[in-house]
PDB file of all heavy atoms in Angstrom:
ATOM      1  N   ASN A 491     112.660 106.562 117.328  1.00 79.00           N
ATOM      2  CA  ASN A 491     111.416 107.366 117.092  1.00 79.00           C
ATOM      3  C   ASN A 491     111.230 107.576 115.591  1.00 79.00           C
ATOM      4  O   ASN A 491     110.120 107.528 115.106  1.00 79.00           O
ATOM      5  CB  ASN A 491     111.514 108.714 117.816  1.00 79.00           C
ATOM      6  CG  ASN A 491     111.333 108.551 119.312  1.00 79.00           C
ATOM      7  OD1 ASN A 491     110.583 107.703 119.768  1.00 79.00           O
ATOM      8  ND2 ASN A 491     112.041 109.370 120.088  1.00 79.00           N
ATOM      9  N   ALA A 492     112.311 107.829 114.878  1.00 81.00           N
ATOM     10  CA  ALA A 492     112.246 108.031 113.438  1.00 81.00           C
ATOM     11  C   ALA A 492     111.785 106.711 112.779  1.00 81.00           C
ATOM     12  O   ALA A 492     110.979 106.741 111.848  1.00 81.00           O
ATOM     13  CB  ALA A 492     113.612 108.443 112.860  1.00 81.00           C
ATOM     14  N   LEU A 493     112.321 105.591 113.284  1.00 74.00           N
ATOM     15  CA  LEU A 493     111.919 104.285 112.739  1.00 74.00           C
ATOM     16  C   LEU A 493     110.439 104.041 112.989  1.00 74.00           C
ATOM     17  O   LEU A 493     109.732 103.556 112.138  1.00 74.00           O
ATOM     18  CB  LEU A 493     112.739 103.192 113.392  1.00 74.00           C
ATOM     19  CG  LEU A 493     112.377 101.761 112.925  1.00 74.00           C
ATOM     20  CD1 LEU A 493     112.838 101.503 111.519  1.00 74.00           C
ATOM     21  CD2 LEU A 493     112.924 100.698 113.861  1.00 74.00           C
ATOM     22  N   ARG A 494     109.971 104.376 114.204  1.00 75.00           N
ATOM     23  CA  ARG A 494     108.570 104.167 114.547  1.00 75.00           C
ATOM     24  C   ARG A 494     107.665 104.993 113.623  1.00 75.00           C
ATOM     25  O   ARG A 494     106.634 104.478 113.150  1.00 75.00           O
ATOM     26  CB  ARG A 494     108.303 104.549 116.008  1.00 75.00           C
ATOM     27  CG  ARG A 494     108.731 103.481 117.004  1.00 75.00           C
ATOM     28  CD  ARG A 494     108.420 103.974 118.436  1.00 75.00           C
ATOM     29  NE  ARG A 494     108.579 102.887 119.370  1.00 75.00           N
ATOM     30  CZ  ARG A 494     107.648 102.012 119.717  1.00 75.00           C
ATOM     31  NH1 ARG A 494     106.443 102.114 119.108  1.00 75.00           N
ATOM     32  NH2 ARG A 494     107.837 101.074 120.583  1.00 75.00           N
ATOM     33  N   ILE A 495     108.039 106.235 113.351  1.00 83.00           N
ATOM     34  CA  ILE A 495     107.225 107.101 112.495  1.00 83.00           C
ATOM     35  C   ILE A 495     107.232 106.541 111.079  1.00 83.00           C
ATOM     36  O   ILE A 495     106.178 106.393 110.428  1.00 83.00           O
ATOM     37  CB  ILE A 495     107.708 108.527 112.515  1.00 83.00           C
ATOM     38  CG1 ILE A 495     107.472 109.118 113.910  1.00 83.00           C
ATOM     39  CG2 ILE A 495     107.017 109.371 111.449  1.00 83.00           C
ATOM     40  CD1 ILE A 495     108.039 110.516 114.092  1.00 83.00           C
ATOM     41  N   ALA A 496     108.427 106.195 110.583  1.00 79.00           N
ATOM     42  CA  ALA A 496     108.518 105.683 109.186  1.00 79.00           C
ATOM     43  C   ALA A 496     107.771 104.343 109.079  1.00 79.00           C
ATOM     44  O   ALA A 496     107.013 104.131 108.112  1.00 79.00           O
ATOM     45  CB  ALA A 496     109.993 105.464 108.820  1.00 79.00           C
ATOM     46  N   GLY A 497     107.995 103.475 110.079  1.00 73.00           N
ATOM     47  CA  GLY A 497     107.301 102.183 110.062  1.00 73.00           C
ATOM     48  C   GLY A 497     105.803 102.359 110.192  1.00 73.00           C
ATOM     49  O   GLY A 497     105.002 101.652 109.528  1.00 73.00           O
ATOM     50  N   GLY A 498     105.394 103.305 111.047  1.00 77.00           N
ATOM     51  CA  GLY A 498     103.963 103.574 111.204  1.00 77.00           C
ATOM     52  C   GLY A 498     103.313 104.068 109.921  1.00 77.00           C
ATOM     53  O   GLY A 498     102.199 103.661 109.571  1.00 77.00           O
ATOM     54  N   LEU A 499     104.028 104.938 109.175  1.00 83.00           N
ATOM     55  CA  LEU A 499     103.496 105.420 107.923  1.00 83.00           C
ATOM     56  C   LEU A 499     103.354 104.285 106.888  1.00 83.00           C
ATOM     57  O   LEU A 499     102.377 104.222 106.161  1.00 83.00           O
ATOM     58  CB  LEU A 499     104.448 106.515 107.350  1.00 83.00           C
ATOM     59  CG  LEU A 499     104.470 107.829 108.107  1.00 83.00           C
ATOM     60  CD1 LEU A 499     105.531 108.756 107.565  1.00 83.00           C
ATOM     61  CD2 LEU A 499     103.105 108.525 108.032  1.00 83.00           C
ATOM     62  N   ILE A 500     104.366 103.397 106.877  1.00 73.00           N
ATOM     63  CA  ILE A 500     104.311 102.250 105.965  1.00 73.00           C
ATOM     64  C   ILE A 500     103.133 101.339 106.325  1.00 73.00           C
ATOM     65  O   ILE A 500     102.397 100.861 105.463  1.00 73.00           O
ATOM     66  CB  ILE A 500     105.612 101.439 106.019  1.00 73.00           C
ATOM     67  CG1 ILE A 500     106.763 102.276 105.433  1.00 73.00           C
ATOM     68  CG2 ILE A 500     105.495 100.145 105.220  1.00 73.00           C
ATOM     69  CD1 ILE A 500     108.131 101.704 105.612  1.00 73.00           C
ATOM     70  N   ILE A 501     102.971 101.104 107.625  1.00 69.00           N
ATOM     71  CA  ILE A 501     101.896 100.227 108.128  1.00 69.00           C
ATOM     72  C   ILE A 501     100.512 100.820 107.789  1.00 69.00           C
ATOM     73  O   ILE A 501      99.604 100.136 107.332  1.00 69.00           O
ATOM     74  CB  ILE A 501     102.041  99.973 109.625  1.00 69.00           C
ATOM     75  CG1 ILE A 501     103.306  99.131 109.888  1.00 69.00           C
ATOM     76  CG2 ILE A 501     100.815  99.233 110.157  1.00 69.00           C
ATOM     77  CD1 ILE A 501     103.662  98.997 111.354  1.00 69.00           C
ATOM     78  N   VAL A 502     100.391 102.141 108.074  1.00 80.00           N
ATOM     79  CA  VAL A 502      99.133 102.822 107.737  1.00 80.00           C
ATOM     80  C   VAL A 502      98.850 102.767 106.241  1.00 80.00           C
ATOM     81  O   VAL A 502      97.711 102.539 105.798  1.00 80.00           O
ATOM     82  CB  VAL A 502      99.187 104.280 108.220  1.00 80.00           C
ATOM     83  CG1 VAL A 502      97.989 105.072 107.681  1.00 80.00           C
ATOM     84  CG2 VAL A 502      99.177 104.324 109.732  1.00 80.00           C
ATOM     85  N   SER A 503      99.890 102.986 105.461  1.00 78.00           N
ATOM     86  CA  SER A 503      99.734 102.891 103.988  1.00 78.00           C
ATOM     87  C   SER A 503      99.269 101.530 103.557  1.00 78.00           C
ATOM     88  O   SER A 503      98.386 101.380 102.672  1.00 78.00           O
ATOM     89  CB  SER A 503     101.081 103.215 103.311  1.00 78.00           C
ATOM     90  OG  SER A 503     101.003 103.074 101.936  1.00 78.00           O
ATOM     91  N   SER A 504      99.830 100.469 104.181  1.00 67.00           N
ATOM     92  CA  SER A 504      99.406  99.123 103.873  1.00 67.00           C
ATOM     93  C   SER A 504      97.970  98.904 104.260  1.00 67.00           C
ATOM     94  O   SER A 504      97.210  98.227 103.534  1.00 67.00           O
ATOM     95  CB  SER A 504     100.311  98.097 104.626  1.00 67.00           C
ATOM     96  OG  SER A 504     101.653  98.184 104.173  1.00 67.00           O
ATOM     97  N   GLY A 505      97.553  99.492 105.392  1.00 71.00           N
ATOM     98  CA  GLY A 505      96.186  99.359 105.849  1.00 71.00           C
ATOM     99  C   GLY A 505      95.192  99.980 104.876  1.00 71.00           C
ATOM    100  O   GLY A 505      94.175  99.402 104.558  1.00 71.00           O
ATOM    101  N   PHE A 506      95.547 101.191 104.410  1.00 80.00           N
ATOM    102  CA  PHE A 506      94.672 101.871 103.443  1.00 80.00           C
ATOM    103  C   PHE A 506      94.643 101.077 102.120  1.00 80.00           C
ATOM    104  O   PHE A 506      93.608 101.020 101.454  1.00 80.00           O
ATOM    105  CB  PHE A 506      95.184 103.282 103.177  1.00 80.00           C
ATOM    106  CG  PHE A 506      94.682 104.290 104.215  1.00 80.00           C
ATOM    107  CD1 PHE A 506      95.563 104.897 105.071  1.00 80.00           C
ATOM    108  CD2 PHE A 506      93.332 104.571 104.334  1.00 80.00           C
ATOM    109  CE1 PHE A 506      95.128 105.817 106.033  1.00 80.00           C
ATOM    110  CE2 PHE A 506      92.866 105.469 105.284  1.00 80.00           C
ATOM    111  CZ  PHE A 506      93.768 106.105 106.104  1.00 80.00           C
ATOM    112  N   ALA A 507      95.774 100.493 101.768  1.00 71.00           N
ATOM    113  CA  ALA A 507      95.832  99.701 100.540  1.00 71.00           C
ATOM    114  C   ALA A 507      94.913  98.501 100.657  1.00 71.00           C
ATOM    115  O   ALA A 507      94.246  98.097  99.667  1.00 71.00           O
ATOM    116  CB  ALA A 507      97.282  99.266 100.264  1.00 71.00           C
ATOM    117  N   LEU A 508      94.860  97.922 101.850  1.00 66.00           N
ATOM    118  CA  LEU A 508      93.948  96.773 102.059  1.00 66.00           C
ATOM    119  C   LEU A 508      92.511  97.182 101.947  1.00 66.00           C
ATOM    120  O   LEU A 508      91.684  96.503 101.365  1.00 66.00           O
ATOM    121  CB  LEU A 508      94.191  96.157 103.439  1.00 66.00           C
ATOM    122  CG  LEU A 508      95.438  95.308 103.604  1.00 66.00           C
ATOM    123  CD1 LEU A 508      95.700  95.007 105.083  1.00 66.00           C
ATOM    124  CD2 LEU A 508      95.298  93.991 102.846  1.00 66.00           C
TER     125      LEU A 508
END
Side-chain angles (χ1 to χ4, degrees):
N491 288 325
L493 177 74
R494 280 180 170 273
I495 293 175
L499 290 173
I500 292 171
I501 293 171
V502 169
S503 175
S504 296
F506 276 114
L508 284 169

